[in-house]
Amino acid sequence: MDVLLASRLQFAVAAGFHFLFVPLTLGLSVLTAIFQTLWLKTGDEDYRRAARFWGKLFLINFGLGVVTGITLEFQFGTNWRFYSQYVGDIFGSLLAIEATLAFFLESTFIAVWWFGWNRINPKIHTLAIWLTAIASNLSALWILLANGWMQNPVGYVIREGRAELADFWAVLTNSFAWWQFLHTVPAAFVLSGFFVLGVSAWHILRKNELTFFKKSFRIAAIWTVIFSLYLIVEGHIHGAEVARVQPTKLAAMEAHWETEKGAGWVLFAIPDEENERNLVEFIKIPKVLSLLAYHDPNAEVKGLKEWPKEERPPVAWTFWAFRIMVGLGFLFGLLSILAYLARNNPEKSPRLLKVLLWNIPLPYVAAQAGWIVAEVGRQPWIVYGLMKTKDAVSPLSSVQVGISLPAFIIVYGILGIICFWLIAYHAKKGPEKVSEIPSELVTKTNK
Amino acid sequence: MDLEFYQTLWFVLWGVLWAGYLALDGFDLGAGSLLYVLGKSDQERRAIYQSIGPFWDGNEVWLITAGGATFAAFPTAYAVMFSSLYTPLLLLLFALIIRGVAVEYRNKYESPTWRNLWDIAFFVGSLAPALLLGVFFANLFKGIPIDEKGILQTNLLGLLHPYALLGGILFVFCFATHGALWLALRAPEPLASRSASLAKITWAITFVLTGFFLLISGFFTNIWQNFKNYPILSIVPILMICTYLLVPVFIRSAKYLHAWIFSALTIVLFTAWGMIGLFPNLLPSSIDPAYSLTIYNSSSSLLTLKIMTIVAVIFVPVVLLYTYWAYKTFSYRLSKEEVSY
């Protein structure tokens, strides 16, 4: 098998699989911290049980997130040697800072939280889950500063055949990276919010622990509506930023071939990359693409034909992934409003509850689609405009990658199935009864 | 200050991160490799997991940080090292993955089959990294056959020479001793006493292996060259022998915390010995020393090294502080009741 293709697939598997677990980690850690804080403030036992219940699901998910994260850090060196040499001066330092600032904090305090229930003061214990949540989201910031640099390299000079750091401040304030952060983390919050709504819906439909799950539902509904609606606005600004910084990606996202002023926006199309056109275009609205991308109905939007074929990203992938993400984004906006309206008496809306249950996987699909837009849409560049993916791959033998790629797929596949099965098992089991919580803990927290 | 200063400083920090990783993850990997030797019942095996539960994840972050620091401070060395050692690194990775999941999932479902399967994953996932890390460091000390372009001129079997295998076996016994001492400190009785007795035996084997390893390193590697040039540096391996000789003394007087600390110190001094021997190489070439990757020909720019230094100066002490606090809070001896729920 071709080493380049196999390495790309392997990275896609490793990164995509890792990101099945990251969003829930980012959001559920904060929600768990909120539940525990509510318990601390109100003394309501249901909130303590909520922290323990959602925290356990968080932890099962967290385990796979951690171990698959190590792979990614190794993959740059193992499979993308020339990339690593070329960008290590900037990209490597961002990863090292992420580990120092975030990973130690996250891994230490999640353990303090999980093992500390009956050992440490409840206030410090609540602080531990907050530190875990903050550290997780801090690590998202640093990794997105690193990815943002690949999307929009800034603050560098080319010296001795590599990109060297020239302006650290420019790397830290890279607007593209910040828009990615302001998109990815709230998207993770939406996924987590719908996860809590979906699991709560399952129990509410069965009249199981009704008071408990209504409380979880209510908080998750408020949380989800905030971030879902925010994302619709942010997504638009984010898209305009893509238009400014990565015109080839934008053209692929919209399957837009010809450079034109007052470009129209098409709802659906079947891109024909061979013949540089769209086979079918379904619902085309004049001037809307120019308006969306540049806030001016007559602005010029560059088409894919502007660039030679070898500098265009795969159009169909980018186009469809973008549409799936945006379409689901609007669906989430609608669903979150309905959930918000039903927040006080969700048991009276059984149909909504069923939809919310079946909705659980959809934010995962949206998140994966989002990364496909970001990463496939950046092709053929590994660092936009600076280095091509094909020039970055390690001098490996096809046997090495030919074995490692299927190994990743098999091991990850098995672990993924086990993880989601275990989450579902514990989610269905529901929270512990107060009497099941070790007594030592009750006496300690009642003080 | 100039580039050479920061390159040297980052070589030292690189060594510190590896030392921290080996001394910390060493005990939880070691405890895992003794799962079947010491864990006679399901309850005892559960106790082994619980003993390392609050720590293993944080310990593994030292590996991630060591990798990240290599990437940041010496990107060329990171790129060549990781791509040349592709297969052993991926094996290490898979081992750590199934092990991490085993620790998290084993007690989250009530079924003997489920637990037995995760026990196998945990055991293999603990033993294999110890072995692979030993093979890795022995290869680092000896140098690997990379040409002037940094292309590896051998395959996996070429990396598994007798010296490397000795390194692997040394690490396995050293970690096992380190892990057994931790269990002597934390596990409930009678597991703790059995761990202490076992530690005495594995300590003796490790001691002999270490002596042998240091000796034959003189034949297989250039690691003693810097010590010949600067004999004062020999204080490090001498000190290492002394700290390790104290370990059985503490075991006999049942001072397991002291024994564990001196075992950790020995690992730190062993790493220091290797790093001093390597300097200024990060990855020596066994084909021609001119092809070796050194701190001079593979480092990042001065600006990056300076920024990384600022980050390290501020945050590493903070990390050490809360890590110490977490260890202090959770290193108490587990009670039988605590293991059972």
Side-chain angles (χ1 to χ4, degrees):
Chain A
M1 196 181 202
D2 177 33
V3 173
L4 174 63
L5 180 65
S7 290
R8 286 181 63 183
L9 284 174
Q10 187 169 309
F11 202 91
V13 168
F17 189 75
H18 178 58
F19 210 76
L20 283 178
F21 307 99
V22 172
L24 195 60
T25 297
L26 295 178
L28 204 51
S29 59
V30 181
L31 281 163
T32 303
I34 291 174
F35 288 131
Q36 189 161 337
T37 309
L38 283 171
W39 163 62
L40 207 61
K41 293 264 180 250
T42 64
D44 183 342
E45 279 300 314
D46 275 349
Y47 285 127
R48 181 173 63 150
R49 290 164 72 219
R52 286 175 69 93
F53 173 69
W54 298 109
K56 187 177 216 170
L57 302 183
F58 161 77
L59 204 76
I60 296 168
N61 169 75
F62 180 77
L64 264 191
V66 170
V67 294
T68 53
I70 310 176
T71 316
L72 285 178
E73 198 204 32
F74 279 42
Q75 291 264 298
F76 296 112
T78 52
N79 292 68
W80 305 100
R81 169 177 169 170
F82 294 107
Y83 167 78
S84 300
Q85 263 176 285
Y86 189 76
V87 304
D89 203 63
I90 300 164
F91 189 87
S93 54
L94 295 172
L95 288 194
I97 294 172
E98 181 192 17
T100 316
L101 261 64
F103 290 162
F104 278 115
L105 198 64
E106 187 182 32
S107 60
T108 305
F109 283 96
I110 185 62
V112 168
W113 181 74
W114 180 252
F115 290 94
W117 274 104
N118 48 0
R119 295 212 70 87
I120 53 178
N121 174 303
K123 276 184 187 156
I124 298 176
H125 188 245
T126 307
L127 180 66
I129 187 68
W130 274 112
L131 285 173
T132 308
I134 291 167
S136 304
N137 286 281
L138 194 63
S139 89
L141 174 64
W142 286 97
I143 197 65
L144 288 168
L145 282 172
N147 183 268
W149 191 84
M150 296 168 80
Q151 305 283 353
N152 179 36
V154 290
Y156 68 92
V157 283
I158 302 294
R159 203 181 286 145
E160 291 167 32
R162 66 173 183 180
E164 285 192 2
L165 188 62
D167 183 352
F168 191 55
W169 185 246
V171 173
L172 290 188
T173 54
N174 184 355
S175 63
F176 196 90
W178 278 92
W179 283 117
Q180 280 189 296
F181 177 72
L182 293 173
H183 187 76
T184 311
V185 167
F189 288 2
V190 170
L191 180 144
S192 312
F194 277 120
F195 177 83
V196 173
L197 287 173
V199 172
S200 302
W202 192 86
H203 286 282
I204 294 170
L205 279 168
R206 280 160 188 74
K207 305 273 181 284
N208 181 22
E209 288 274 2
L210 203 54
T211 359
F212 175 94
F213 280 106
K214 275 174 72 178
K215 285 176 187 167
S216 290
F217 187 96
R218 190 169 171 274
I219 287 168
I222 299 170
W223 160 279
T224 311
V225 78
I226 295 171
F227 293 108
S228 297
L229 297 181
Y230 154 87
L231 264 187
I232 292 174
V233 179
E234 193 279 345
H236 166 67
I237 307 174
H238 193 45
E241 177 82 359
V242 172
R244 191 176 68 81
V245 176
Q246 298 183 320
T248 50
K249 185 186 278 178
L250 180 90
M253 277 155 62
E254 301 293 355
H256 180 63
W257 295 97
E258 309 287 344
T259 300
E260 58 185 328
K261 289 189 174 149
W265 179 83
V266 58
L267 181 62
F268 291 120
I270 300 175
D272 175 6
E273 297 175 49
E274 198 63 33
N275 300 310
E276 306 185 301
R277 65 190 172 106
N278 293 331
L279 275 178
V280 184
E281 285 188 349
F282 180 66
I283 306 187
K284 190 163 185 172
I285 315 170
K287 295 194 193 256
V288 169
L289 179 54
S290 291
L291 187 68
L292 284 173
Y294 298 102
H295 305 131
D296 168 7
N298 296 312
E300 183 184 88
V301 182
K302 288 212 162 80
L304 286 158
K305 283 189 185 171
E306 196 78 24
W307 296 275
K309 268 190 178 171
E310 66 277 8
E311 287 192 7
R312 298 176 198 157
V315 182
W317 275 90
T318 316
F319 177 84
W320 281 108
F322 181 62
R323 262 147 191 75
I324 290 170
M325 174 182 73
V326 173
L328 287 172
F330 280 106
L331 173 71
F332 299 152
L334 179 72
L335 270 180
S336 67
I337 292 172
L338 294 176
Y340 177 77
L341 294 176
R343 71 191 181 281
N344 291 324
N345 297 95
E347 73 276 20
K348 290 185 182 148
S349 322
R351 255 184 305 175
L352 175 67
L353 292 176
K354 268 179 206 150
V355 173
L356 285 171
L357 173 63
W358 290 106
N359 176 60
I360 292 176
L362 293 185
Y364 287 89
V365 174
Q368 295 286 323
W371 277 112
I372 290 171
V373 175
E375 301 295 289
V376 175
R378 193 190 58 230
Q379 301 303 323
W381 305 100
I382 192 162
V383 184
Y384 194 77
L386 280 187
M387 184 186 224
K388 287 199 172 154
T389 310
K390 67 177 165 61
D391 300 322
V393 72
S394 299
L396 299 167
S397 80
S398 51
V399 179
Q400 283 175 306
V401 224
I403 294 172
S404 64
L405 173 62
F408 266 106
I409 294 173
I410 293 166
V411 173
Y412 275 15
I414 294 171
L415 292 179
I417 290 167
I418 294 173
C419 177
F420 284 116
W421 173 80
L422 198 60
I423 289 178
Y425 170 78
H426 282 281
K428 283 183 191 168
K429 209 165 135 188
E432 304 149 294
K433 304 271 176 294
V434 177
S435 58
E436 285 169 2
I437 302 175
S439 57
E440 203 179 341
L441 183 149
V442 175
T443 49
K444 196 154 193 173
T445 46
N446 281 351
K447 268 182 213 160
Chain B
M1 271 177 274
D2 66 339
L3 184 59
E4 200 177 318
F5 168 80
Y6 283 99
Q7 287 167 331
T8 311
L9 176 68
W10 272 93
F11 183 84
V12 174
L13 286 174
W14 187 66
V16 168
L17 287 171
W18 277 118
Y21 172 65
L22 297 173
L24 291 176
D25 211 25
F27 83 77
D28 62 61
L29 290 169
S33 71
L34 296 174
L35 184 70
Y36 293 111
V37 180
L38 286 172
K40 296 292 177 205
S41 61
D42 180 64
Q43 195 66 6
E44 286 190 345
R45 286 196 286 276
R46 191 185 284 248
I48 292 175
Y49 282 88
Q50 202 127 346
S51 306
I52 66 158
F55 309 106
W56 74 272
D57 188 6
N59 294 345
E60 235 160 65
V61 174
W62 286 82
L63 174 68
I64 302 178
T65 311
T70 319
F71 197 175
F74 306 108
T76 310
Y78 166 83
V80 174
M81 194 184 287
F82 280 52
S83 56
S84 302
L85 303 175
Y86 188 83
T87 311
L89 268 174
L90 287 189
L91 285 173
L92 175 68
L93 210 59
F94 281 121
L96 291 177
I97 288 172
I98 57 165
R99 172 178 190 269
V101 180
V103 181
E104 293 294 333
Y105 288 2
R106 184 207 193 245
N107 294 326
K108 294 212 165 53
Y109 185 70
E110 275 305 316
S111 144
T113 321
W114 170 270
R115 286 200 296 269
N116 289 341
L117 285 173
W118 287 120
D119 280 349
I120 296 169
F122 181 57
F123 167 71
V124 174
S126 300
L127 185 66
L131 190 72
L132 287 163
L133 285 164
V135 169
F136 170 74
F137 276 98
N139 268 297
L140 216 55
F141 297 161
K142 185 174 178 291
I144 60 170
I146 43 170
D147 64 16
E148 70 273 26
K149 284 184 185 147
I151 310 284
L152 187 71
Q153 300 296 337
T154 183
N155 54 21
L156 180 62
L157 292 177
L159 299 171
L160 295 175
H161 43 77
Y163 179 69
L165 292 176
L166 180 67
I169 294 165
L170 169 63
F171 271 50
V172 167
F173 277 96
C174 173
F175 285 3
T177 310
H178 203 36
L181 290 172
W182 182 259
L183 293 177
L185 183 68
R186 265 214 95 188
E189 291 294 356
L191 178 59
S193 303
R194 278 213 316 279
S195 305
S197 314
L198 182 73
K200 282 184 213 162
I201 302 165
T202 53
W203 173 87
I205 299 170
T206 311
F207 191 80
V208 173
L209 284 172
T210 309
F212 188 52
F213 189 80
L214 294 183
L215 189 73
I216 66 160
S217 292
F219 299 101
F220 286 100
T221 75
N222 291 321
I223 214 107
W224 286 105
Q225 195 56 47
N226 282 339
F227 294 92
K228 280 178 197 147
N229 297 345
Y230 303 95
I232 180 78
L233 293 173
S234 305
I235 189 87
V236 171
I238 293 170
L239 214 57
M240 173 176 86
I241 305 282
C242 295
T243 52
Y244 216 44
L245 279 170
L246 283 172
V247 171
V249 178
F250 287 125
I251 301 178
R252 221 160 294 141
S253 49
K255 287 183 175 158
Y256 301 127
L257 178 63
H258 288 73
W260 181 79
I261 290 172
F262 274 82
S263 168
L265 272 176
T266 308
I267 296 175
V268 169
L269 288 165
F270 177 87
T271 317
W273 166 77
M275 293 297 162
I276 292 170
L278 271 177
F279 186 84
N281 291 310
L282 292 156
L283 184 62
S285 165
S286 58
I287 297 176
D288 184 335
Y291 306 155
S292 297
L293 293 172
T294 70
I295 60 168
Y296 306 117
N297 67 14
S298 65
S299 90
S300 278
S301 65
L302 183 58
L303 178 60
T304 295
L305 292 179
K306 277 184 181 171
I307 288 168
M308 295 282 301
T309 306
I310 295 169
V311 172
V313 165
I314 298 173
F315 289 100
V316 171
V318 179
V319 170
L320 290 176
L321 213 66
Y322 64 66
T323 305
Y324 174 75
W325 175 78
Y327 268 82
K328 222 171 113 65
T329 310
F330 291 104
S331 59
Y332 61 91
R333 186 180 294 285
L334 291 165
S335 65
K336 275 212 172 99
E337 297 71 45
E338 205 165 344
V339 172
S340 55
Y341 82 72

